[in-house]
Amino acid sequence: MRSLALDGCGCFPTGRHYAGIAHLLRAVTRGLVEELAHDAPWAALPIALIDVETTGKDASVDRVVEIGIVLSRDGVIVERRNWLVNPGRSIPAEASEVHKLTDDDVKDAPSFATVAAEVTAMLAGCVPAAYNAAFDKAFLTNELARAGVTLPREVEWLDPLVWARELQLGERSRALGEVAARLGIALDNAHRAKDDAEAALKVLLALGRDVRVPRTYGALVSEQRRLSLAQADERRLKWRNS
């Protein structure tokens, strides 16, 4: 049972599953999409890579101005969607400098509440993912809450940034564009939601081919959680010593 707790593989060392305790094996890994098998190859599952562009960095007060979602199944991109969103407030100049969206670009766009049903429909049954997932998850969760919609908060989002930090350890920059370039992935229109989402999804799939990355969904989530906590501790230690 020790290997179960460490690997989140959902099986005994023989690889055999025991139906009578399947519910206990499932419980070893928290944060999975309920209807997806914990022992399935994660790259084969439906993955929804989400990217948002915003009026600022504070999800409690700033708003989404663009959202892009790119879906993959069996490791192949199958759908791309993008929504411009009227945030109901002026876009600050410093935010426009990043994503190049202005008030004129979104003045005739729908509110987030108007597109919320389309967004959630695209996410249904998928493993959510985002590059630097805490940022996008916070914004999406808050915008959906304002629209009266609640995401399953316990579901773990896959985060290519966590894996880039681990697998490209010797590199100074882990910015999406630079990580993508090192993997031979093009990102020609950086800081636009759909383009960033597609590049980030390709990065996730490319990094996932590394032998150090777990192959099954449950094991991937467990290992990502461990790495994320270790990386956060390392950043706190560097901050204290700086």
Side-chain angles (χ1 to χ4, degrees):
M1 294 299 291
R2 180 173 177 271
S3 64
L4 275 176
L6 292 177
D7 299 335
C9 68
C11 58
F12 284 95
T14 61
R16 292 181 60 192
H17 291 264
Y18 291 79
I21 60 169
H23 65 292
L24 297 178
L25 297 178
R26 172 76 181 195
V28 171
T29 304
R30 296 174 291 106
L32 304 186
V33 177
E34 186 174 348
E35 57 265 42
L36 299 178
H38 70 99
D39 56 352
W42 65 266
L45 298 176
I47 299 172
L49 199 300
I50 303 147
D51 185 84
V52 297
E53 301 301 330
T54 68
T55 62
K57 297 179 180 180
D58 186 345
S60 66
V61 295
D62 287 306
R63 304 297 294 269
V64 167
V65 297
E66 186 178 38
I67 178 167
I69 303 177
V70 178
L71 299 186
S72 70
R73 291 187 177 88
D74 294 318
V76 177
I77 291 175
V78 295
E79 190 172 358
R80 304 166 178 85
R81 288 291 305 274
N82 198 81
W83 297 265
L84 285 177
V85 176
N86 188 326
R89 64 180 61 183
S90 182
I91 302 174
E94 56 268 27
S96 289
E97 287 176 8
V98 175
H99 48 57
K100 311 305 180 188
L101 291 168
T102 66
D103 292 341
D104 282 344
D105 293 320
V106 299
K107 66 181 181 180
D108 297 322
S111 67
F112 191 92
T114 303
V115 302
E118 295 177 43
V119 170
T120 54
M122 195 164 180
L123 299 179
C126 295
V127 180
Y131 200 88
N132 191 19
F135 180 89
D136 298 86
K137 184 177 183 179
F139 271 94
L140 183 60
T141 299
N142 285 353
E143 288 286 10
L144 287 172
R146 294 184 188 105
V149 180
T150 302
L151 280 177
R153 291 181 180 271
E154 71 277 6
V155 172
E156 190 94 3
W157 287 36
L158 302 186
D159 191 343
L161 176 57
V162 172
W163 296 100
R165 286 171 173 156
E166 177 68 12
L167 302 177
Q168 297 186 355
L169 195 59
E171 303 292 345
R172 294 190 63 181
S173 173
R174 313 290 162 59
L176 174 58
E178 297 196 33
V179 171
R182 288 193 285 268
L183 294 168
I185 295 167
L187 177 53
D188 298 326
N189 202 15
H191 301 296
R192 293 301 302 269
K194 180 168 62 66
D195 300 85
D196 278 2
E198 181 162 346
L201 181 50
K202 289 178 178 178
V203 164
L204 175 64
L205 295 170
L207 293 174
R209 291 192 283 271
D210 190 287
V211 296
R212 293 166 289 180
V213 178
R215 292 293 179 260
T216 63
Y217 179 33
L220 182 79
V221 168
S222 293
E223 181 63 3
Q224 179 182 284
R225 186 180 293 120
R226 184 191 71 79
L227 288 173
S228 183
L229 291 172
Q231 291 167 5
D233 286 343
E234 183 179 351
R235 290 195 298 275
R236 281 192 291 268
L237 183 60
K238 286 182 179 179
W239 181 82
R240 289 195 196 107
N241 295 335
S242 61

